[in-house]
Amino acid sequence: MADVTYREALRRALDEELDRDRDVFLMGEEIGRFEGSYKVTAGLWQKYGAERVRETPISEEGFVGAGIGAAMMGLRPVVEIMTINFILVAMDQVVNHAAKIRYMFGGTVGVPLVIRTPGGAGAQLTAQHSQSLEGWFAGCPGLKVVAPSNPADAYGMLKTAIRDDDPVIFCENLVLYNVTGTVPDNGDHTVPFGVAEVAKEGDDLTIVAHSYTVQRALRVADRLGQDGISVEVIDLRSLRPLDVDTVVESVRKTNRMLVAEEGWSTFGVGAELAARIQRACFDDLDAPVERVGAAEVPMPYSKPLELAALPLESKIEAAARSLLRECGL
Amino acid sequence: MAEPAVTRTAVLDDREHALRLFRQMALVRRFEERTEEQYTRARIGGYCHLAIGEEAASIGAIDALDEGDALFASYRDHATALAVGSPPAAVMAELFGKDTGVARGRGGSMHLLDVERRFFGGWGIVGAHLPIATGAALAFTYRDEPHAVLCQFGDGAMATGAYHEALNLASLWNLPIVFQVINNQYGMGTRVDQSNAEPELAKHGATYRIHGERVDGNDVLAVREAAARLLAQAREERRPSLFETVTYRYRGHSVADAGKVYRTPEEVQSWRERDPITRYGLLLGEREIATGADLETIWDEVAAEVKDAISEALAASFPSRDSLYEHLYGDDEWREQFGRMAAGAPFGERGEEPEWQT
Ligand SMILES: Cc1ncc(C[n+]2csc(CCOP(=O)(O)OP(=O)(O)O)c2C)c(N)n1
Ligand SMILES: [Mg+2]
């Protein structure tokens, strides 16, 4: 089990699934000769050819729709949307079509489609290229939405996604691509959807996060740990289905919860969790649920403003400390 | 069709005009070279797309705009801003994220604009500004104003649905707009014939029953002449057109792309031999409009101008952290309306911000 990057873990999963099943094929912009904008598909075009690693023009609505059609015929397309911002162009295909087909047609046909796409911010890519929209999809019945935070989960969940019979929005993150970790050598290692992971155990406060924010939360937990505060970090891993039980169990133990996310808090993942936890853990909570997210503005370019808008570790830490202070800790 | 507003010969007969075109192209070239260098010095962040090699296509068309016309462009927009006359220091300040930038540091490289000079942006989602530009042309028609819109975009944008919808609407509604595709042969690493089923892009005009025309985008006078004619047609006959300018980008797609895996050095070299600035400089010499020394002087002057722009932008200050929520809505009451909904995050329901440091 050697350390690999998140990017390499994804590539290995794609490679093995392409090799295992001829019904699996890739589609997306710049994924072939150019190796993918973020190099996830490097080498696959050379290995599997242009039929199975299909380069597309800038036609998101067209090729997401084509992915849906091919999936209805039983193929297993894995579509790459260069960044989640561009999926907005294909929103009708995703929300009005992929998500609806099985139910609307009475269960007679499904859409085994995977859409892989990175979100995230922090490199001054500005308003139109810095969004984290996974919460929007997580609010849509008919879709499955996952957001792995480390290489092992990226690998195992991508395999699960490809083998799943329904449309999966597979959310990656620009900052995570270079994060390293161990990945099991076993080619059949899959990670199920709807099972959150306790990424770090603790007693005083539960921080819930997904995707890159888990890495941030772990570092915050380390820093607070140095001051004798014991933080439990929960990695949601999948947003739809959402594993509420693991969060409830943790909050029953710590009596405090903070949800951190990269996107906007309003109507976000934290809002959903706060609603569920206030009901399930009403008698367990020592303080109101706290949320940390991106500032509610389109992401500004200028570095000082971008830093002010991002849910930085320092902000998660400050919010955690202030929550604990309220409880006399 | 309307007569060309200013012909090739007319530009060359007007020495001041002829030299202005040269100066603008030289300014863009130097500005972009220095921008690349500033990026490597980490004074510029994010995506940064250079237009080196494409100067004539962009500037030649913009030069044909009349007062009141409106201009739209893609994210490859540094040349666009300089061509409309935005002060280089304000453009550089935007790239540096400074408060004195053309978008007050909020937009950066991809979202330059200059509303006063009728340049309505710098847009980041490929193809998306074509319908918006079409709407600007609709406004001119609606108000019976005699202006036209020039909308510049890349060859890759012609694969988007937005492109097709915009051209169809513009033709159906007889709108005064020139759709200028700056065909630089590639959209990222995808060659034009890999993204467009009809790679002779001007031919797409036939689908919408509009005039399509292809010109050598490295010949600034040819671009100028055709653009003037098509813009005049838009203003006078209220008809859109599709204007293809064939050119090349020397650099990679953005500063992050070396521009090597999808093309050969020979190909790049062959285009360098048709360099738009060199060619125009030679023409000015042949016609005895400018000597080599005159052109050298211009190069020196624009180099100094860019140098000053950098110093000025460096000296300017960053927007203050407190200004994060400025410009979110246009009305003064929005803070009351939205209250903590807008300003609460990143700290949820908490009334005041706990202390944090970067
Ligand atoms: C809808 C959308 N999809 C993908 C991208 C990513 N992207 C940015 S530029 C670009 C290539 C565009 O090429 P072209 O239109 O030829 O313009 P050029 O860069 O050559 O000036 C791509 C794919 C995007 N910005 N928007
Ligand atoms: Mg192009």
Side-chain angles (χ1 to χ4, degrees):
Chain A
M1 291 214 300
D3 264 15
V4 297
T5 61
Y6 191 93
R7 169 188 291 110
E8 286 158 352
L10 291 167
R11 186 185 305 144
R12 210 184 103 198
L14 290 172
D15 188 1
E16 289 170 4
E17 293 302 291
L18 281 163
D19 187 54
R20 187 184 59 80
D21 182 356
R22 226 203 96 80
D23 285 345
V24 175
F25 72 100
L26 314 186
M27 260 198 295
E29 292 159 25
E30 306 296 332
I31 64 169
R33 194 190 310 265
F34 202 81
E35 307 191 313
S37 264
Y38 300 97
K39 309 293 166 206
V40 172
T41 54
L44 299 179
W45 180 77
Q46 287 82 350
K47 185 166 173 188
Y48 294 99
E51 283 284 311
R52 298 195 64 206
V53 180
R54 183 176 290 269
E55 298 180 309
T56 67
I58 309 168
S59 306
E60 286 85 1
E61 185 177 11
F63 66 81
V64 168
I68 294 171
M72 287 175 75
M73 299 300 120
L75 295 182
R76 293 186 173 269
V78 181
V79 169
E80 174 176 307
I81 298 282
M82 195 178 283
T83 75
I84 200 166
N85 307 282
F86 313 141
I87 207 171
L88 298 182
V89 176
M91 208 63 172
D92 175 61
Q93 291 295 340
V94 176
V95 176
N96 261 334
H97 297 85
K100 306 287 190 280
I101 285 171
R102 183 184 295 281
Y103 188 86
M104 190 168 77
F105 293 132
T108 52
V109 59
V111 182
L113 166 75
V114 179
I115 299 179
R116 290 182 37 243
T117 186
Q124 286 188 275
L125 303 182
T126 317
Q128 298 188 318
H129 290 79
S130 300
Q131 299 172 100
S132 295
L133 304 173
E134 54 273 19
W136 292 13
F137 297 99
C140 179
L143 298 176
K144 296 184 181 179
V145 182
V146 300
S149 73
N150 58 57
D153 286 350
Y155 173 81
M157 295 185 93
L158 185 51
K159 292 205 153 198
T160 304
I162 293 172
R163 297 174 192 190
D164 196 282
D165 288 336
D166 286 305
V168 178
I169 309 296
F170 190 93
C171 301
E172 301 168 8
N173 182 290
L174 296 174
V175 187
L176 278 176
Y177 282 136
N178 289 326
V179 165
T180 56
T182 56
V183 174
D185 289 329
N186 168 13
D188 273 318
H189 170 77
T190 56
V191 174
F193 292 172
V195 183
E197 186 181 51
V198 179
K200 184 192 162 297
E201 286 191 28
D203 301 313
D204 298 330
L205 169 70
T206 301
I207 301 185
V208 185
H210 67 277
S211 192
Y212 174 57
T213 310
V214 174
Q215 307 271 345
R216 283 192 164 130
L218 287 169
R219 288 191 286 265
V220 169
D222 273 353
R223 275 215 288 276
L224 292 172
Q226 287 161 16
D227 292 344
I229 300 162
S230 161
V231 175
E232 179 144 307
V233 177
I234 297 196
D235 179 354
L236 290 173
R237 306 209 278 196
S238 95
L239 302 180
R240 188 178 195 101
L242 181 68
D243 175 5
V244 183
D245 293 347
T246 300
V247 183
V248 168
E249 204 180 308
S250 172
V251 174
R252 294 225 160 110
K253 178 173 65 169
T254 63
N255 310 111
R256 293 167 200 102
M257 178 169 96
L258 182 157
V259 192
E261 65 193 295
E262 183 125 9
W264 298 299
S265 296
T266 303
F267 299 102
V269 175
E272 181 59 36
L273 278 159
R276 288 173 186 266
I277 292 306
Q278 61 86 17
R279 173 157 280 279
C281 302
F282 191 71
D283 293 329
D284 304 291
L285 284 168
D286 281 357
V289 171
E290 184 66 292
R291 292 187 287 169
V292 177
E296 308 245 334
V297 291
M299 190 59 75
Y301 166 75
S302 185
K303 199 68 201 175
L305 290 182
E306 189 189 46
L307 289 172
L310 288 168
L312 301 175
E313 279 156 43
S314 53
K315 295 181 197 171
I316 300 172
E317 184 183 332
R321 284 188 191 279
S322 118
L323 176 83
L324 290 160
R325 256 197 313 276
E326 262 173 53
C327 304
L329 274 168
Chain B
M1 196 171 298
E3 278 302 297
V6 182
T7 61
R8 247 167 224 262
T9 354
V11 171
L12 292 177
D13 285 347
D14 176 355
R15 182 168 189 268
E16 190 263 329
H17 190 171
L19 291 180
R20 187 175 72 230
L21 280 178
F22 186 87
R23 173 184 296 273
Q24 282 188 341
M25 292 200 287
L27 173 66
V28 167
R29 180 67 58 95
R30 282 291 171 267
F31 186 94
E32 293 288 64
E33 287 167 355
R34 295 298 307 273
T35 293
E36 191 174 29
E37 172 207 300
Q38 299 300 303
Y39 195 94
T40 57
R41 299 180 65 169
R43 287 172 176 165
I44 300 172
Y47 294 133
C48 185
H49 310 84
L50 304 173
I52 299 179
E54 305 177 20
E55 293 90 348
S58 175
I59 290 166
I62 292 170
D63 190 63
L65 289 171
D66 275 354
E67 205 170 312
D69 290 345
L71 172 64
F72 289 76
S74 77
Y75 46 83
R76 199 179 295 284
D77 59 358
H78 307 171
T80 326
L82 295 174
V84 299
S86 303
V91 178
M92 193 56 87
E94 189 61 36
L95 304 189
F96 288 178
K98 298 296 182 75
D99 219 8
T100 55
V102 294
R104 303 186 173 109
R106 269 65 175 182
S109 161
M110 296 190 287
H111 308 297
L112 303 176
L113 86 169
D114 191 332
V115 171
E116 216 173 288
R117 295 180 176 83
R118 312 284 289 164
F119 167 35
F120 292 94
W123 304 81
I125 305 298
V126 171
H129 66 290
L130 279 76
I132 298 173
T134 302
L138 175 64
F140 291 154
T141 297
Y142 187 89
R143 290 195 177 134
D144 216 4
E145 290 173 348
H147 312 307
V149 175
L150 175 66
C151 177
Q152 301 184 322
F153 51 92
D155 44 288
M158 287 179 60
T160 67
Y163 156 81
H164 293 281
E165 294 185 21
L167 267 78
N168 192 50
L169 287 175
S171 179
L172 279 173
W173 295 345
N174 294 311
L175 299 181
I177 179 166
V178 176
F179 292 102
Q180 183 191 358
V181 52
I182 300 187
N183 177 359
N184 61 5
Q185 316 297 320
Y186 293 89
M188 296 189 73
T190 303
R191 218 177 42 230
V192 56
D193 59 313
Q194 295 166 328
S195 63
N196 286 282
E198 172 51 273
E200 290 181 50
L201 303 176
K203 287 190 177 167
H204 286 223
T207 311
Y208 311 101
R209 288 204 172 180
I210 63 175
H211 176 69
E213 180 165 338
R214 170 182 265 196
V215 306
D216 177 351
N218 280 7
D219 177 345
V220 69
L221 294 183
V223 175
R224 171 75 176 72
E225 177 178 26
R229 185 162 32 78
L230 297 174
L231 284 164
Q233 178 197 316
R235 289 182 210 108
E236 287 153 28
E237 296 167 29
R238 310 313 263 186
R239 284 300 290 161
S241 55
L242 177 60
F243 177 35
E244 178 185 5
T245 43
V246 181
T247 182
Y248 201 76
R249 72 165 149 72
Y250 296 166
R251 296 297 194 272
H253 168 68
S254 70
V255 286
D257 165 34
K260 291 198 170 126
V261 285
Y262 49 87
R263 59 187 196 180
T264 62
E266 292 74 35
E267 182 183 299
V268 181
Q269 185 50 36
S270 76
W271 281 91
R272 280 184 181 280
E273 280 154 23
R274 280 173 274 173
D275 183 80
I277 307 182
T278 312
R279 267 170 70 181
Y280 187 53
L282 286 172
L283 178 75
L284 294 178
E286 272 166 30
R287 300 292 176 91
E288 298 182 351
I289 295 168
T291 64
D294 293 337
L295 299 183
E296 272 316 309
T297 309
I298 293 179
W299 281 115
D300 291 344
E301 286 167 1
V302 297
E305 210 179 326
V306 176
K307 187 162 174 267
D308 291 346
I310 294 171
S311 319
E312 201 177 310
L314 272 178
S317 46
F318 285 105
S320 79
R321 202 200 261 184
D322 300 339
S323 70
L324 180 63
Y325 292 95
E326 277 170 22
H327 316 302
L328 186 56
Y329 297 102
D331 53 327
D332 292 336
E333 289 83 46
W334 76 267
R335 279 173 202 275
E336 281 102 86
Q337 286 172 28
F338 288 87
R340 296 223 295 273
M341 181 176 180
F347 291 106
E349 298 0 280
R350 205 157 288 280
E352 68 205 55
E353 254 193 44
E355 271 301 301
W356 61 274
Q357 237 129 58
T358 55

